[in-house]
Amino acid sequence: MTYTAPAGTCVGHVHLKVSDLDRSIAFYRDVLGFELQQKFGDSAAFLGAGGYHHHIGLNTWHSRGGPQPPARATGLYHSAFLYPDRKALGTAVRQVLEAGVPLDGAADHGVSEAVYLRDPDGNGVELYRDRPVDEWPRLPDGSLAMGSDPLDLHALVAEAG
């Protein structure tokens, strides 16, 4: 029998190698709104949302002052941060735009709405919200029919208020 991870299993955190710890803390704290939970000198930090111990770990143990990895190399494509609803996602996107961070793209995947950007070290970041399961697009056989349609960013941000 093939093992299947139990329902409720999720990615607990992402831990990134960064070249400049303070610059990365500023991005994840001041732009994305994560709270600094703990800092270990000038080599590591942990940030979380809602008082959680950490959703993001940052370290310079093997990367201080290092270059960004080449685009055509293996590694992390992006980390994805799930927001509880469309309004919360729109508020986060507005914050990113007001901070002058350029977007790489935005898409309506049917099951979710997503906005893509990069952190100061070039790591991909996805900010997204899931639609309720009963709204997910499905094929006649019941399998998912995800896509990548344009996302109206102006409407998303406007809905945030």
Side-chain angles (χ1 to χ4, degrees):
M1 182 157 67
T2 302
Y3 172 76
T4 301
T9 301
C10 63
V11 176
H13 69 271
V14 61
H15 198 125
L16 302 171
K17 297 188 298 182
V18 300
S19 64
D20 182 318
L21 186 64
D22 289 331
R23 181 183 68 180
S24 293
I25 289 170
F27 175 79
Y28 285 99
R29 181 192 59 211
D30 303 340
V31 176
L32 296 187
F34 287 90
E35 302 160 315
L36 181 63
Q37 300 297 332
Q38 189 170 9
K39 187 174 177 188
F40 291 99
D42 65 351
S43 64
F46 298 92
L47 297 95
Y52 189 66
H53 56 79
H54 75 288
H55 291 101
I56 305 158
L58 305 168
N59 77 67
T60 58
W61 300 324
H62 305 286
S63 56
R64 184 182 314 273
Q68 292 184 9
R72 301 225 7 106
T74 59
L76 180 70
Y77 186 74
H78 68 235
S79 54
F81 299 102
L82 175 63
Y83 287 80
D85 54 45
R86 194 167 202 267
K87 183 176 180 179
L89 175 60
T91 300
V93 172
R94 183 178 61 222
Q95 173 69 17
V96 166
L97 294 171
E98 288 176 356
V101 176
L103 300 182
D104 286 347
D108 182 339
H109 296 299
V111 297
S112 63
E113 294 177 306
V115 176
Y116 303 94
L117 56 135
R118 300 213 166 268
D119 78 1
D121 285 292
N123 295 306
V125 176
E126 176 184 351
L127 309 178
Y128 76 106
R129 71 104 183 179
D130 276 337
R131 286 193 169 87
V133 174
D134 62 348
E135 294 178 17
W136 291 0
R138 299 207 176 261
L139 297 172
D141 69 359
S143 61
L144 285 177
M146 293 187 291
S148 193
D149 295 323
L151 176 65
D152 184 344
L153 281 173
H154 296 293
L156 176 67
V157 172
E159 191 171 313

